Amino acid sequence: MRILLVEDNADLADAIVRRMRRNGHAVDWQSDGLQAANVLRYQSFDLIVLDIGLPRLNGLSLLAGLRERGDTTPVLMLTARDGIEDRVKALDSGADDYLSKPFDFREFEARCRVLLRRNRGQAAGVVQIGALSFDAGAHRVTLDGEAIEVPNREFRLLEILIGKLGRVVSKDEIGNGLFGFDDEAGPNAIELYVGRLRKRLAAAPLRIVTVRGAGYLIEAADAAGAEPPGAEPADG
């Protein structure tokens, strides 16, 4: 998914960015609280990982401004402070979760997965569609118990589409979830990844439909009888 990391410790930020990108997420990094606040006024994210101690604008003030504008993006707070008062203050300011430094990256990734899943309205990390199983936590797709090899970017595309099963997802929304500011994504990049994903899921009990002028939707094969308005052939 598309994640904004706001952290002024360059070494920690680099480690988080590399790890999350390796897992297929689009990650943008800001080291300055005020600059991050400006970015959040025009760019949406699926998750914000936010340090409390930041230059120019601290994380609690940034978070308060975000919630005052009605922005409900999930926020995981990071801080070196481990006192109960700091935790309470962070949660009362609108944070969805809290993690003290130093932390184990396995716990960090698990907490991110929970918040991303909650944001999509999913209670569990495994989605079952007929004989196909999609496990976001294990980064695994299986069909009749056999693993299907799905590279990171295509895996995240599938995650975006499955998160809105049966509903149209716009190209802008897909692009925001797949690509960060530093990613080189040409005008046909989304079509390329959709085409690759269709081939990998050719035997699966679902299909990816192109909805002309709107985007894409993924649906179970048994729901494929009625074409949505503007639907095009699968190679579109």
Side-chain angles (χ1 to χ4, degrees), residues 55 58 89 102 145 165:
N58 69 55
K89 187 178 295 185
L165 185 67

Short mmCIF file of all heavy atoms in Angstrom, two decimals, residues 55 58 89 102 145 165:
data_model
loop_
_atom_site.label_atom_id
_atom_site.label_comp_id
_atom_site.label_asym_id
_atom_site.label_seq_id
_atom_site.Cartn_x
_atom_site.Cartn_y
_atom_site.Cartn_z
N PRO A 55 11.54 17.83 13.72
CA PRO A 55 11.88 19.24 13.56
C PRO A 55 10.69 20.06 13.06
O PRO A 55 9.87 19.55 12.29
CB PRO A 55 12.99 19.23 12.49
CG PRO A 55 13.33 17.82 12.22
CD PRO A 55 12.26 16.96 12.79
N ASN A 58 6.09 18.95 15.70
CA ASN A 58 6.18 17.61 16.28
C ASN A 58 5.02 16.74 15.82
O ASN A 58 4.01 17.21 15.30
CB ASN A 58 6.27 17.67 17.81
CG ASN A 58 4.99 18.15 18.45
OD1 ASN A 58 3.92 17.62 18.23
ND2 ASN A 58 5.09 19.19 19.28
N LYS A 89 -1.23 10.34 25.54
CA LYS A 89 -1.33 11.57 24.77
C LYS A 89 -1.39 11.28 23.27
O LYS A 89 -2.17 11.89 22.53
CB LYS A 89 -0.14 12.49 25.08
CG LYS A 89 -0.23 13.87 24.44
CD LYS A 89 0.95 14.74 24.84
CE LYS A 89 0.95 15.05 26.31
NZ LYS A 89 2.05 15.99 26.68
N PRO A 102 13.58 1.13 20.83
CA PRO A 102 13.76 0.34 19.60
C PRO A 102 12.69 -0.74 19.51
O PRO A 102 12.11 -1.14 20.52
CB PRO A 102 15.15 -0.27 19.77
CG PRO A 102 15.30 -0.40 21.25
CD PRO A 102 14.58 0.78 21.86
N GLY A 145 -4.36 -25.09 -2.67
CA GLY A 145 -3.25 -25.41 -1.79
C GLY A 145 -1.88 -25.28 -2.41
O GLY A 145 -0.87 -25.40 -1.72
N LEU A 165 -13.31 -6.04 -3.36
CA LEU A 165 -13.86 -7.12 -4.17
C LEU A 165 -15.24 -6.74 -4.72
O LEU A 165 -16.14 -6.37 -3.98
CB LEU A 165 -13.98 -8.39 -3.33
CG LEU A 165 -14.42 -9.66 -4.06
CD1 LEU A 165 -13.34 -10.10 -5.05
CD2 LEU A 165 -14.70 -10.77 -3.06
#
